[in-house]
Amino acid sequence: MIGYAGELPWLWAGLAAYAVATFMAIYSVVFRPQMIASQRDEMIVLGSITAGVVLLVIAMAVRWIHLGHGPFVNLFELLVSQLFSLGLIYALIYWRFPILRSSAVVVLPIMWVLGTWVLTLEPRPSNFPPTFDTPWLWVHIGFGKVFLSFCLIATGLAGIILLRNISALKARLQSLPSNEVLDRYAWRFMILAMAFDSLMLIAGAVWAQDAWGRYWAWDTLETLSFINWLMLGLAIHIRLTWNLPMNVTATAVVLIFVFAFFTYFGTPFYSIAAHKGVI
């Protein structure tokens, strides 16, 4: 049973806006690279992402009013809210830092993978667990969304470095910032991601103490989250200590994002622990 689905028209409209932004970002870079600096093209991308964020806010508000709780409980709700937070943070970065706008050719298609996943899910109603009734849940999730957003932006920059290894794309991507610039900014965002990952784990421990009477239990999600934190810290240390080839460090950025994505969206499918994220 699908149940109430009044948010779906707004969700589809938001994803359509993201699709316009994705198409324009790829078209500008791949099919007419001489126009990459076109302010008109960039404003279309920014305006479409912003429109998508607003429409997703409406979709979440419609569902929130109907169910009486925020978008935290099941996979459909978390993915919609994730699309909102990734879009919001990326729109702000895209607006304030023009040198980073080239990352849109990688970031926006990844967001659309999430959007396609959402369209395969039924918007089933969810019950709000008593363990979620704490302000620390908001803090924990908020830090997590910033962490994943910064990892995604770094992945967008690293992705261009890797795409330049494909001979068919190398010439079309030459007008974008150099690999040195992309690498430098990518790792700045990874350092910021490390800070917010740490804050997310601390806030999550406080929430766990309120919810289950312990700060840490080494359940599947907590263990993978800690491994993710160690991987990120080790990668930053190696990047700052040794002069490795940029293809290697760019691959590390992408792998850390993939592992983080798997941790927070894949664990619920096989973990039976009380703290298993969303289902």
Side-chain angles (χ1 to χ4, degrees), residues 170-272:
K170 186 174 182 179
R172 296 185 180 278
L173 299 175
Q174 284 307 308
S175 60
L176 304 183
S178 67
N179 284 353
E180 288 74 14
V181 172
L182 296 172
D183 178 76
R184 183 166 66 250
Y185 278 102
W187 283 99
R188 287 180 181 178
F189 275 99
M190 292 301 274
I191 292 172
L192 288 173
M194 179 77 185
F196 281 94
D197 191 16
S198 303
L199 292 171
M200 178 190 70
L201 294 180
I202 294 170
V206 177
W207 169 38
Q209 173 63 23
D210 287 345
W212 299 288
R214 48 69 174 178
Y215 289 102
W216 197 269
W218 296 107
D219 67 31
T220 306
L221 186 60
E222 290 172 347
T223 301
L224 289 177
S225 299
F226 183 64
I227 293 174
N228 205 162
W229 184 81
L230 289 177
M231 288 174 58
L232 183 52
L234 179 63
I236 291 172
H237 174 73
I238 292 174
R239 169 63 176 78
L240 296 176
T241 305
W242 287 289
N243 186 25
L244 296 177
M246 271 183 279
N247 282 332
V248 175
T249 57
T251 301
V253 171
V254 174
L255 291 178
I256 289 170
F257 171 75
V258 171
F259 190 84
F261 189 87
F262 171 79
T263 296
Y264 300 113
F265 294 99
T267 302
F269 287 102
Y270 63 86
S271 172
I272 59 173

Side-chain angles (χ1 to χ4, degrees), residues 33-44:
Q34 70 280 7
M35 297 292 291
I36 185 58
S38 167
Q39 188 175 15
R40 173 179 168 275
D41 289 356
E42 293 177 345
M43 289 304 100
I44 292 175

